[in-house]
Each structure stands twice: as structure tokens, then as C-alpha cells.
PDB file of all heavy atoms in Angstrom:
ATOM      1  N   LYS A   1       6.901   4.461   2.431  1.00 95.00           N
ATOM      2  CA  LYS A   1       7.253   3.060   2.193  1.00 95.00           C
ATOM      3  C   LYS A   1       6.851   2.195   3.390  1.00 95.00           C
ATOM      4  O   LYS A   1       6.402   1.054   3.219  1.00 95.00           O
ATOM      5  CB  LYS A   1       8.757   2.941   1.928  1.00 95.00           C
ATOM      6  CG  LYS A   1       9.204   3.620   0.640  1.00 95.00           C
ATOM      7  CD  LYS A   1      10.693   3.421   0.405  1.00 95.00           C
ATOM      8  CE  LYS A   1      11.131   4.075  -0.899  1.00 95.00           C
ATOM      9  NZ  LYS A   1      12.572   3.876  -1.160  1.00 95.00           N
ATOM     10  N   ALA A   2       7.009   2.749   4.596  1.00 94.00           N
ATOM     11  CA  ALA A   2       6.614   2.002   5.787  1.00 94.00           C
ATOM     12  C   ALA A   2       5.104   1.756   5.795  1.00 94.00           C
ATOM     13  O   ALA A   2       4.640   0.665   6.117  1.00 94.00           O
ATOM     14  CB  ALA A   2       7.035   2.766   7.045  1.00 94.00           C
ATOM     15  N   LEU A   3       4.331   2.778   5.415  1.00 93.00           N
ATOM     16  CA  LEU A   3       2.874   2.615   5.351  1.00 93.00           C
ATOM     17  C   LEU A   3       2.489   1.578   4.292  1.00 93.00           C
ATOM     18  O   LEU A   3       1.582   0.769   4.508  1.00 93.00           O
ATOM     19  CB  LEU A   3       2.204   3.958   5.020  1.00 93.00           C
ATOM     20  CG  LEU A   3       2.116   4.983   6.155  1.00 93.00           C
ATOM     21  CD1 LEU A   3       1.554   6.301   5.639  1.00 93.00           C
ATOM     22  CD2 LEU A   3       1.264   4.461   7.301  1.00 93.00           C
ATOM     23  N   TYR A   4       3.170   1.612   3.162  1.00 96.00           N
ATOM     24  CA  TYR A   4       2.897   0.630   2.111  1.00 96.00           C
ATOM     25  C   TYR A   4       3.116  -0.789   2.642  1.00 96.00           C
ATOM     26  O   TYR A   4       2.276  -1.675   2.450  1.00 96.00           O
ATOM     27  CB  TYR A   4       3.810   0.891   0.909  1.00 96.00           C
ATOM     28  CG  TYR A   4       3.792  -0.210  -0.131  1.00 96.00           C
ATOM     29  CD1 TYR A   4       2.774  -0.270  -1.081  1.00 96.00           C
ATOM     30  CD2 TYR A   4       4.790  -1.178  -0.161  1.00 96.00           C
ATOM     31  CE1 TYR A   4       2.759  -1.287  -2.036  1.00 96.00           C
ATOM     32  CE2 TYR A   4       4.782  -2.189  -1.103  1.00 96.00           C
ATOM     33  CZ  TYR A   4       3.760  -2.232  -2.042  1.00 96.00           C
ATOM     34  OH  TYR A   4       3.733  -3.239  -2.980  1.00 96.00           O
ATOM     35  N   TYR A   5       4.242  -1.004   3.336  1.00 96.00           N
ATOM     36  CA  TYR A   5       4.526  -2.354   3.813  1.00 96.00           C
ATOM     37  C   TYR A   5       3.648  -2.742   5.003  1.00 96.00           C
ATOM     38  O   TYR A   5       3.400  -3.930   5.224  1.00 96.00           O
ATOM     39  CB  TYR A   5       6.007  -2.512   4.139  1.00 96.00           C
ATOM     40  CG  TYR A   5       6.786  -2.944   2.917  1.00 96.00           C
ATOM     41  CD1 TYR A   5       7.531  -2.032   2.184  1.00 96.00           C
ATOM     42  CD2 TYR A   5       6.712  -4.260   2.469  1.00 96.00           C
ATOM     43  CE1 TYR A   5       8.206  -2.420   1.041  1.00 96.00           C
ATOM     44  CE2 TYR A   5       7.391  -4.656   1.321  1.00 96.00           C
ATOM     45  CZ  TYR A   5       8.123  -3.736   0.609  1.00 96.00           C
ATOM     46  OH  TYR A   5       8.775  -4.133  -0.538  1.00 96.00           O
ATOM     47  N   LEU A   6       3.158  -1.774   5.746  1.00 95.00           N
ATOM     48  CA  LEU A   6       2.158  -2.088   6.769  1.00 95.00           C
ATOM     49  C   LEU A   6       0.898  -2.638   6.104  1.00 95.00           C
ATOM     50  O   LEU A   6       0.267  -3.575   6.607  1.00 95.00           O
ATOM     51  CB  LEU A   6       1.832  -0.837   7.593  1.00 95.00           C
ATOM     52  CG  LEU A   6       2.890  -0.450   8.631  1.00 95.00           C
ATOM     53  CD1 LEU A   6       2.659   0.972   9.126  1.00 95.00           C
ATOM     54  CD2 LEU A   6       2.868  -1.424   9.805  1.00 95.00           C
ATOM     55  N   GLY A   7       0.537  -2.047   4.967  1.00 95.00           N
ATOM     56  CA  GLY A   7      -0.584  -2.586   4.205  1.00 95.00           C
ATOM     57  C   GLY A   7      -0.285  -3.984   3.676  1.00 95.00           C
ATOM     58  O   GLY A   7      -1.139  -4.878   3.726  1.00 95.00           O
ATOM     59  N   ARG A   8       0.928  -4.188   3.187  1.00 96.00           N
ATOM     60  CA  ARG A   8       1.316  -5.495   2.666  1.00 96.00           C
ATOM     61  C   ARG A   8       1.311  -6.562   3.765  1.00 96.00           C
ATOM     62  O   ARG A   8       0.884  -7.706   3.529  1.00 96.00           O
ATOM     63  CB  ARG A   8       2.722  -5.423   2.051  1.00 96.00           C
ATOM     64  CG  ARG A   8       2.820  -4.710   0.705  1.00 96.00           C
ATOM     65  CD  ARG A   8       2.168  -5.496  -0.422  1.00 96.00           C
ATOM     66  NE  ARG A   8       2.626  -6.878  -0.510  1.00 96.00           N
ATOM     67  CZ  ARG A   8       3.721  -7.276  -1.127  1.00 96.00           C
ATOM     68  NH1 ARG A   8       4.488  -6.384  -1.744  1.00 96.00           N
ATOM     69  NH2 ARG A   8       4.053  -8.555  -1.168  1.00 96.00           N
ATOM     70  N   VAL A   9       1.766  -6.186   4.964  1.00 95.00           N
ATOM     71  CA  VAL A   9       1.788  -7.143   6.079  1.00 95.00           C
ATOM     72  C   VAL A   9       0.383  -7.666   6.349  1.00 95.00           C
ATOM     73  O   VAL A   9       0.158  -8.878   6.466  1.00 95.00           O
ATOM     74  CB  VAL A   9       2.377  -6.486   7.351  1.00 95.00           C
ATOM     75  CG1 VAL A   9       2.062  -7.326   8.587  1.00 95.00           C
ATOM     76  CG2 VAL A   9       3.884  -6.314   7.220  1.00 95.00           C
ATOM     77  N   HIS A  10      -0.583  -6.753   6.442  1.00 94.00           N
ATOM     78  CA  HIS A  10      -1.944  -7.188   6.768  1.00 94.00           C
ATOM     79  C   HIS A  10      -2.638  -7.837   5.571  1.00 94.00           C
ATOM     80  O   HIS A  10      -3.527  -8.664   5.761  1.00 94.00           O
ATOM     81  CB  HIS A  10      -2.751  -5.999   7.298  1.00 94.00           C
ATOM     82  CG  HIS A  10      -2.433  -5.695   8.729  1.00 94.00           C
ATOM     83  ND1 HIS A  10      -3.051  -6.320   9.777  1.00 94.00           N
ATOM     84  CD2 HIS A  10      -1.516  -4.851   9.270  1.00 94.00           C
ATOM     85  CE1 HIS A  10      -2.550  -5.871  10.912  1.00 94.00           C
ATOM     86  NE2 HIS A  10      -1.612  -4.979  10.641  1.00 94.00           N
ATOM     87  N   GLU A  11      -2.214  -7.506   4.357  1.00 95.00           N
ATOM     88  CA  GLU A  11      -2.753  -8.207   3.192  1.00 95.00           C
ATOM     89  C   GLU A  11      -2.288  -9.670   3.209  1.00 95.00           C
ATOM     90  O   GLU A  11      -3.088 -10.592   2.985  1.00 95.00           O
ATOM     91  CB  GLU A  11      -2.291  -7.518   1.910  1.00 95.00           C
ATOM     92  CG  GLU A  11      -2.884  -8.137   0.653  1.00 95.00           C
ATOM     93  CD  GLU A  11      -2.427  -7.438  -0.613  1.00 95.00           C
ATOM     94  OE1 GLU A  11      -1.772  -6.371  -0.518  1.00 95.00           O
ATOM     95  OE2 GLU A  11      -2.719  -7.961  -1.704  1.00 95.00           O
ATOM     96  N   GLU A  12      -0.992  -9.874   3.474  1.00 94.00           N
ATOM     97  CA  GLU A  12      -0.473 -11.241   3.565  1.00 94.00           C
ATOM     98  C   GLU A  12      -1.118 -11.998   4.734  1.00 94.00           C
ATOM     99  O   GLU A  12      -1.448 -13.183   4.622  1.00 94.00           O
ATOM    100  CB  GLU A  12       1.047 -11.210   3.749  1.00 94.00           C
ATOM    101  CG  GLU A  12       1.827 -10.680   2.560  1.00 94.00           C
ATOM    102  CD  GLU A  12       1.891 -11.688   1.420  1.00 94.00           C
ATOM    103  OE1 GLU A  12       1.676 -12.888   1.666  1.00 94.00           O
ATOM    104  OE2 GLU A  12       2.142 -11.266   0.273  1.00 94.00           O
ATOM    105  N   LEU A  13      -1.302 -11.294   5.841  1.00 93.00           N
ATOM    106  CA  LEU A  13      -1.930 -11.913   7.002  1.00 93.00           C
ATOM    107  C   LEU A  13      -3.369 -12.325   6.679  1.00 93.00           C
ATOM    108  O   LEU A  13      -3.821 -13.413   7.053  1.00 93.00           O
ATOM    109  CB  LEU A  13      -1.901 -10.938   8.178  1.00 93.00           C
ATOM    110  CG  LEU A  13      -2.301 -11.477   9.556  1.00 93.00           C
ATOM    111  CD1 LEU A  13      -1.503 -12.708   9.919  1.00 93.00           C
ATOM    112  CD2 LEU A  13      -2.098 -10.387  10.611  1.00 93.00           C
ATOM    113  N   GLY A  14      -4.086 -11.468   5.968  1.00 93.00           N
ATOM    114  CA  GLY A  14      -5.461 -11.781   5.585  1.00 93.00           C
ATOM    115  C   GLY A  14      -5.555 -12.982   4.664  1.00 93.00           C
ATOM    116  O   GLY A  14      -6.502 -13.779   4.747  1.00 93.00           O
ATOM    117  N   GLN A  15      -4.564 -13.147   3.799  1.00 93.00           N
ATOM    118  CA  GLN A  15      -4.556 -14.297   2.892  1.00 93.00           C
ATOM    119  C   GLN A  15      -4.364 -15.604   3.643  1.00 93.00           C
ATOM    120  O   GLN A  15      -4.713 -16.671   3.133  1.00 93.00           O
ATOM    121  CB  GLN A  15      -3.455 -14.111   1.843  1.00 93.00           C
ATOM    122  CG  GLN A  15      -3.747 -13.002   0.850  1.00 93.00           C
ATOM    123  CD  GLN A  15      -2.570 -12.708  -0.070  1.00 93.00           C
ATOM    124  OE1 GLN A  15      -1.541 -13.378   0.017  1.00 93.00           O
ATOM    125  NE2 GLN A  15      -2.709 -11.721  -0.934  1.00 93.00           N
ATOM    126  N   ARG A  16      -3.836 -15.511   4.860  1.00 92.00           N
ATOM    127  CA  ARG A  16      -3.624 -16.719   5.663  1.00 92.00           C
ATOM    128  C   ARG A  16      -4.724 -16.904   6.718  1.00 92.00           C
ATOM    129  O   ARG A  16      -5.071 -18.025   7.058  1.00 92.00           O
ATOM    130  CB  ARG A  16      -2.248 -16.652   6.334  1.00 92.00           C
ATOM    131  CG  ARG A  16      -1.103 -16.788   5.330  1.00 92.00           C
ATOM    132  CD  ARG A  16       0.202 -16.243   5.878  1.00 92.00           C
ATOM    133  NE  ARG A  16       1.315 -16.491   4.954  1.00 92.00           N
ATOM    134  CZ  ARG A  16       1.560 -15.749   3.875  1.00 92.00           C
ATOM    135  NH1 ARG A  16       0.777 -14.723   3.586  1.00 92.00           N
ATOM    136  NH2 ARG A  16       2.585 -16.038   3.084  1.00 92.00           N
ATOM    137  N   SER A  17      -5.233 -15.778   7.258  1.00 90.00           N
ATOM    138  CA  SER A  17      -6.249 -15.872   8.311  1.00 90.00           C
ATOM    139  C   SER A  17      -7.665 -15.921   7.754  1.00 90.00           C
ATOM    140  O   SER A  17      -8.582 -16.378   8.432  1.00 90.00           O
ATOM    141  CB  SER A  17      -6.132 -14.669   9.250  1.00 90.00           C
ATOM    142  OG  SER A  17      -6.559 -13.469   8.588  1.00 90.00           O
ATOM    143  N   PHE A  18      -7.835 -15.406   6.520  1.00 90.00           N
ATOM    144  CA  PHE A  18      -9.157 -15.289   5.882  1.00 90.00           C
ATOM    145  C   PHE A  18     -10.096 -14.399   6.699  1.00 90.00           C
ATOM    146  O   PHE A  18     -11.319 -14.516   6.587  1.00 90.00           O
ATOM    147  CB  PHE A  18      -9.800 -16.671   5.664  1.00 90.00           C
ATOM    148  CG  PHE A  18      -8.971 -17.596   4.824  1.00 90.00           C
ATOM    149  CD1 PHE A  18      -8.211 -18.590   5.413  1.00 90.00           C
ATOM    150  CD2 PHE A  18      -8.930 -17.440   3.450  1.00 90.00           C
ATOM    151  CE1 PHE A  18      -7.434 -19.435   4.645  1.00 90.00           C
ATOM    152  CE2 PHE A  18      -8.160 -18.281   2.663  1.00 90.00           C
ATOM    153  CZ  PHE A  18      -7.405 -19.278   3.257  1.00 90.00           C
ATOM    154  N   LEU A  19      -9.527 -13.506   7.515  1.00 91.00           N
ATOM    155  CA  LEU A  19     -10.334 -12.598   8.319  1.00 91.00           C
ATOM    156  C   LEU A  19     -10.527 -11.274   7.579  1.00 91.00           C
ATOM    157  O   LEU A  19      -9.555 -10.670   7.106  1.00 91.00           O
ATOM    158  CB  LEU A  19      -9.652 -12.327   9.668  1.00 91.00           C
ATOM    159  CG  LEU A  19      -9.549 -13.519  10.628  1.00 91.00           C
ATOM    160  CD1 LEU A  19      -8.761 -13.111  11.872  1.00 91.00           C
ATOM    161  CD2 LEU A  19     -10.923 -14.031  11.013  1.00 91.00           C
ATOM    162  N   ALA A  20     -11.779 -10.826   7.503  1.00 88.00           N
ATOM    163  CA  ALA A  20     -12.061  -9.546   6.848  1.00 88.00           C
ATOM    164  C   ALA A  20     -11.362  -8.402   7.567  1.00 88.00           C
ATOM    165  O   ALA A  20     -10.947  -7.421   6.939  1.00 88.00           O
ATOM    166  CB  ALA A  20     -13.575  -9.301   6.806  1.00 88.00           C
ATOM    167  N   ALA A  21     -11.212  -8.524   8.902  1.00 87.00           N
ATOM    168  CA  ALA A  21     -10.577  -7.451   9.676  1.00 87.00           C
ATOM    169  C   ALA A  21      -9.148  -7.203   9.228  1.00 87.00           C
ATOM    170  O   ALA A  21      -8.679  -6.057   9.211  1.00 87.00           O
ATOM    171  CB  ALA A  21     -10.614  -7.799  11.164  1.00 87.00           C
ATOM    172  N   ASP A  22      -8.429  -8.251   8.851  1.00 91.00           N
ATOM    173  CA  ASP A  22      -7.054  -8.070   8.376  1.00 91.00           C
ATOM    174  C   ASP A  22      -7.032  -7.333   7.043  1.00 91.00           C
ATOM    175  O   ASP A  22      -6.182  -6.459   6.818  1.00 91.00           O
ATOM    176  CB  ASP A  22      -6.355  -9.428   8.252  1.00 91.00           C
ATOM    177  CG  ASP A  22      -6.041 -10.043   9.609  1.00 91.00           C
ATOM    178  OD1 ASP A  22      -5.753  -9.282  10.552  1.00 91.00           O
ATOM    179  OD2 ASP A  22      -6.097 -11.281   9.726  1.00 91.00           O
ATOM    180  N   PHE A  23      -7.963  -7.685   6.166  1.00 93.00           N
ATOM    181  CA  PHE A  23      -8.034  -6.983   4.881  1.00 93.00           C
ATOM    182  C   PHE A  23      -8.477  -5.529   5.075  1.00 93.00           C
ATOM    183  O   PHE A  23      -8.014  -4.633   4.367  1.00 93.00           O
ATOM    184  CB  PHE A  23      -8.973  -7.718   3.927  1.00 93.00           C
ATOM    185  CG  PHE A  23      -8.428  -9.016   3.408  1.00 93.00           C
ATOM    186  CD1 PHE A  23      -9.052 -10.219   3.693  1.00 93.00           C
ATOM    187  CD2 PHE A  23      -7.273  -9.041   2.645  1.00 93.00           C
ATOM    188  CE1 PHE A  23      -8.547 -11.423   3.226  1.00 93.00           C
ATOM    189  CE2 PHE A  23      -6.749 -10.236   2.166  1.00 93.00           C
ATOM    190  CZ  PHE A  23      -7.389 -11.421   2.458  1.00 93.00           C
ATOM    191  N   GLU A  24      -9.371  -5.293   6.034  1.00 88.00           N
ATOM    192  CA  GLU A  24      -9.796  -3.923   6.339  1.00 88.00           C
ATOM    193  C   GLU A  24      -8.602  -3.089   6.802  1.00 88.00           C
ATOM    194  O   GLU A  24      -8.424  -1.941   6.381  1.00 88.00           O
ATOM    195  CB  GLU A  24     -10.876  -3.932   7.426  1.00 88.00           C
ATOM    196  CG  GLU A  24     -12.204  -4.545   7.029  1.00 88.00           C
ATOM    197  CD  GLU A  24     -13.107  -3.565   6.315  1.00 88.00           C
ATOM    198  OE1 GLU A  24     -12.627  -2.493   5.924  1.00 88.00           O
ATOM    199  OE2 GLU A  24     -14.292  -3.904   6.130  1.00 88.00           O
ATOM    200  N   THR A  25      -7.785  -3.665   7.681  1.00 89.00           N
ATOM    201  CA  THR A  25      -6.607  -2.951   8.175  1.00 89.00           C
ATOM    202  C   THR A  25      -5.623  -2.679   7.049  1.00 89.00           C
ATOM    203  O   THR A  25      -5.037  -1.593   6.959  1.00 89.00           O
ATOM    204  CB  THR A  25      -5.915  -3.766   9.279  1.00 89.00           C
ATOM    205  OG1 THR A  25      -6.853  -4.042  10.320  1.00 89.00           O
ATOM    206  CG2 THR A  25      -4.734  -3.008   9.869  1.00 89.00           C
ATOM    207  N   SER A  26      -5.459  -3.650   6.165  1.00 92.00           N
ATOM    208  CA  SER A  26      -4.584  -3.453   5.011  1.00 92.00           C
ATOM    209  C   SER A  26      -5.079  -2.285   4.159  1.00 92.00           C
ATOM    210  O   SER A  26      -4.295  -1.408   3.775  1.00 92.00           O
ATOM    211  CB  SER A  26      -4.543  -4.741   4.174  1.00 92.00           C
ATOM    212  OG  SER A  26      -3.796  -4.537   2.992  1.00 92.00           O
ATOM    213  N   CYS A  27      -6.378  -2.253   3.882  1.00 89.00           N
ATOM    214  CA  CYS A  27      -6.958  -1.160   3.083  1.00 89.00           C
ATOM    215  C   CYS A  27      -6.757   0.186   3.763  1.00 89.00           C
ATOM    216  O   CYS A  27      -6.506   1.201   3.097  1.00 89.00           O
ATOM    217  CB  CYS A  27      -8.445  -1.413   2.851  1.00 89.00           C
ATOM    218  SG  CYS A  27      -8.790  -2.718   1.656  1.00 89.00           S
ATOM    219  N   ASP A  28      -6.863   0.192   5.088  1.00 84.00           N
ATOM    220  CA  ASP A  28      -6.695   1.442   5.827  1.00 84.00           C
ATOM    221  C   ASP A  28      -5.272   1.976   5.672  1.00 84.00           C
ATOM    222  O   ASP A  28      -5.065   3.178   5.435  1.00 84.00           O
ATOM    223  CB  ASP A  28      -7.017   1.209   7.302  1.00 84.00           C
ATOM    224  CG  ASP A  28      -6.866   2.474   8.130  1.00 84.00           C
ATOM    225  OD1 ASP A  28      -7.574   3.451   7.851  1.00 84.00           O
ATOM    226  OD2 ASP A  28      -6.019   2.490   9.054  1.00 84.00           O
ATOM    227  N   TYR A  29      -4.274   1.098   5.786  1.00 90.00           N
ATOM    228  CA  TYR A  29      -2.883   1.545   5.618  1.00 90.00           C
ATOM    229  C   TYR A  29      -2.635   2.024   4.182  1.00 90.00           C
ATOM    230  O   TYR A  29      -1.969   3.042   3.960  1.00 90.00           O
ATOM    231  CB  TYR A  29      -1.920   0.423   5.978  1.00 90.00           C
ATOM    232  CG  TYR A  29      -1.665   0.289   7.462  1.00 90.00           C
ATOM    233  CD1 TYR A  29      -1.888  -0.922   8.123  1.00 90.00           C
ATOM    234  CD2 TYR A  29      -1.179   1.362   8.201  1.00 90.00           C
ATOM    235  CE1 TYR A  29      -1.651  -1.055   9.492  1.00 90.00           C
ATOM    236  CE2 TYR A  29      -0.931   1.239   9.570  1.00 90.00           C
ATOM    237  CZ  TYR A  29      -1.178   0.037  10.206  1.00 90.00           C
ATOM    238  OH  TYR A  29      -0.936  -0.075  11.549  1.00 90.00           O
ATOM    239  N   TYR A  30      -3.148   1.289   3.205  1.00 91.00           N
ATOM    240  CA  TYR A  30      -2.968   1.711   1.813  1.00 91.00           C
ATOM    241  C   TYR A  30      -3.606   3.080   1.565  1.00 91.00           C
ATOM    242  O   TYR A  30      -3.031   3.935   0.877  1.00 91.00           O
ATOM    243  CB  TYR A  30      -3.592   0.672   0.865  1.00 91.00           C
ATOM    244  CG  TYR A  30      -2.791  -0.603   0.721  1.00 91.00           C
ATOM    245  CD1 TYR A  30      -3.432  -1.832   0.569  1.00 91.00           C
ATOM    246  CD2 TYR A  30      -1.411  -0.592   0.710  1.00 91.00           C
ATOM    247  CE1 TYR A  30      -2.721  -3.016   0.426  1.00 91.00           C
ATOM    248  CE2 TYR A  30      -0.675  -1.762   0.574  1.00 91.00           C
ATOM    249  CZ  TYR A  30      -1.333  -2.978   0.429  1.00 91.00           C
ATOM    250  OH  TYR A  30      -0.618  -4.132   0.287  1.00 91.00           O
ATOM    251  N   GLN A  31      -4.798   3.278   2.132  1.00 82.00           N
ATOM    252  CA  GLN A  31      -5.478   4.554   1.941  1.00 82.00           C
ATOM    253  C   GLN A  31      -4.719   5.694   2.612  1.00 82.00           C
ATOM    254  O   GLN A  31      -4.592   6.787   2.048  1.00 82.00           O
ATOM    255  CB  GLN A  31      -6.910   4.479   2.510  1.00 82.00           C
ATOM    256  CG  GLN A  31      -7.719   5.765   2.366  1.00 82.00           C
ATOM    257  CD  GLN A  31      -7.942   6.125   0.914  1.00 82.00           C
ATOM    258  OE1 GLN A  31      -8.184   5.256   0.095  1.00 82.00           O
ATOM    259  NE2 GLN A  31      -7.854   7.405   0.591  1.00 82.00           N
ATOM    260  N   ARG A  32      -4.192   5.436   3.811  1.00 84.00           N
ATOM    261  CA  ARG A  32      -3.436   6.471   4.517  1.00 84.00           C
ATOM    262  C   ARG A  32      -2.199   6.867   3.727  1.00 84.00           C
ATOM    263  O   ARG A  32      -1.851   8.056   3.644  1.00 84.00           O
ATOM    264  CB  ARG A  32      -3.040   5.968   5.902  1.00 84.00           C
ATOM    265  CG  ARG A  32      -4.199   5.920   6.885  1.00 84.00           C
ATOM    266  CD  ARG A  32      -3.847   5.177   8.148  1.00 84.00           C
ATOM    267  NE  ARG A  32      -2.781   5.834   8.898  1.00 84.00           N
ATOM    268  CZ  ARG A  32      -2.232   5.330  10.007  1.00 84.00           C
ATOM    269  NH1 ARG A  32      -2.649   4.162  10.455  1.00 84.00           N
ATOM    270  NH2 ARG A  32      -1.273   5.974  10.632  1.00 84.00           N
ATOM    271  N   MET A  33      -1.536   5.899   3.141  1.00 89.00           N
ATOM    272  CA  MET A  33      -0.339   6.208   2.360  1.00 89.00           C
ATOM    273  C   MET A  33      -0.707   7.038   1.133  1.00 89.00           C
ATOM    274  O   MET A  33      -0.086   8.063   0.844  1.00 89.00           O
ATOM    275  CB  MET A  33       0.361   4.902   1.949  1.00 89.00           C
ATOM    276  CG  MET A  33       1.734   5.121   1.327  1.00 89.00           C
ATOM    277  SD  MET A  33       1.635   5.646  -0.417  1.00 89.00           S
ATOM    278  CE  MET A  33       3.274   5.387  -0.966  1.00 89.00           C
ATOM    279  N   ALA A  34      -1.735   6.599   0.387  1.00 86.00           N
ATOM    280  CA  ALA A  34      -2.113   7.298  -0.844  1.00 86.00           C
ATOM    281  C   ALA A  34      -2.643   8.697  -0.561  1.00 86.00           C
ATOM    282  O   ALA A  34      -2.484   9.609  -1.378  1.00 86.00           O
ATOM    283  CB  ALA A  34      -3.163   6.476  -1.606  1.00 86.00           C
ATOM    284  N   THR A  35      -3.285   8.878   0.597  1.00 76.00           N
ATOM    285  CA  THR A  35      -3.834  10.190   0.951  1.00 76.00           C
ATOM    286  C   THR A  35      -2.754  11.132   1.441  1.00 76.00           C
ATOM    287  O   THR A  35      -2.728  12.308   1.069  1.00 76.00           O
ATOM    288  CB  THR A  35      -4.917  10.027   2.040  1.00 76.00           C
ATOM    289  OG1 THR A  35      -5.949   9.155   1.558  1.00 76.00           O
ATOM    290  CG2 THR A  35      -5.526  11.374   2.405  1.00 76.00           C
ATOM    291  N   ARG A  36      -1.838  10.621   2.273  1.00 82.00           N
ATOM    292  CA  ARG A  36      -0.793  11.478   2.834  1.00 82.00           C
ATOM    293  C   ARG A  36       0.319  11.770   1.840  1.00 82.00           C
ATOM    294  O   ARG A  36       0.949  12.838   1.881  1.00 82.00           O
ATOM    295  CB  ARG A  36      -0.171  10.817   4.077  1.00 82.00           C
ATOM    296  CG  ARG A  36      -1.042  10.869   5.314  1.00 82.00           C
ATOM    297  CD  ARG A  36      -0.192  10.932   6.553  1.00 82.00           C
ATOM    298  NE  ARG A  36       0.648  12.119   6.565  1.00 82.00           N
ATOM    299  CZ  ARG A  36       1.754  12.251   7.291  1.00 82.00           C
ATOM    300  NH1 ARG A  36       2.170  11.255   8.043  1.00 82.00           N
ATOM    301  NH2 ARG A  36       2.461  13.354   7.244  1.00 82.00           N
TER     302      ARG A  36
END
């Protein structure tokens, strides 16, 4: 659940910053959660 919300934090941040790096970080957390 913590990994999921880490992804959500950076997804929300990306929607405000419009930075690809924030969306990349969000994807990384989501992938780590789904893989682990």
C-alpha cells in the first residue's frame, strides 16, 4: 500500500509540474509494487 501511494504521490505531482520525470518516478513505484 505504501508503494502504491508513493506512485500516487508522484502521479499527482506530475499532474501539477508537467514534468516527465515525475511521471517516470510514479511508473517506477507502480511497477515495483506490482512486481513485488
